[in-house]
Amino acid sequence: MLAAVDHVQLAAPPGSEEKLRAYYGDVLGMTEIPKPPVLAARGGCWFQAGDVQLHLGIEEDFRPARKAHPGLRVTDIEAYAARLAAHDAPVTWDDDLPGHLRFYSEDPVGNRLEFLQPLNRR
């Protein structure tokens, strides 16, 4: 029986780890977590914020995920969008999901990310 999503993995091109660390660590505010040694030898990097884990794996024939994406729930979405914009990350608001505020961005290698916050329901 499924209990939870353990992590989401996105692909990245060879040699992009420093860009990924700057974006996922500095811009998104996630913490890099160590990969097991046998997996670390493959390159890439893993990040965590609370219970959310994103794994970036190296793919030789890399193509960014422009449609497929993780949906990341945030608090104070306006402040979070401002944080991304202050780091020159794109912020594209979208109001097509009823009951939510949301925007899209992309990481430095072109992968699409969705950030959303449910509206308070009273």
Side-chain angles (χ1 to χ4, degrees), residues 49-119:
D51 291 335
V52 176
Q53 278 193 28
L54 294 177
H55 296 182
L56 285 296
I58 299 304
E59 189 171 333
E60 291 298 324
D61 187 25
F62 170 74
R63 277 172 270 159
R66 299 208 184 274
K67 182 70 173 174
H69 61 273
L72 303 170
R73 189 169 290 179
V74 298
T75 58
D76 197 358
I77 195 166
E78 292 89 357
Y80 204 72
R83 175 188 179 121
L84 270 67
H87 285 90
D88 295 323
V91 172
T92 304
W93 288 96
D94 181 289
D95 60 0
D96 290 340
L97 182 62
H100 293 80
L101 297 174
R102 76 174 176 171
F103 68 88
Y104 291 96
S105 191
E106 61 182 47
D107 71 13
V109 299
N111 290 313
R112 183 182 198 193
L113 303 171
E114 177 182 356
F115 299 90
L116 64 159
Q117 178 180 339
L119 295 172

Side-chain angles (χ1 to χ4, degrees), residues 4-10 33 46-47 51-56 70:
V5 173
D6 184 77
H7 68 275
V8 172
Q9 178 154 324
L10 297 170
I33 56 176
W46 294 359
F47 299 91
D51 291 335
V52 176
Q53 278 193 28
L54 294 177
H55 296 182
L56 285 296

Side-chain angles (χ1 to χ4, degrees), residues 5-54:
V5 173
D6 184 77
H7 68 275
V8 172
Q9 178 154 324
L10 297 170
S16 62
E17 287 89 350
E18 289 309 310
K19 287 182 187 177
L20 298 171
R21 286 183 177 101
Y23 180 79
Y24 287 93
D26 299 338
V27 178
L28 298 190
M30 299 182 83
T31 301
E32 185 170 2
I33 56 176
K35 293 177 67 172
V38 69
L39 298 177
R42 300 177 189 171
C45 33
W46 294 359
F47 299 91
Q48 183 167 354
D51 291 335
V52 176
Q53 278 193 28
L54 294 177

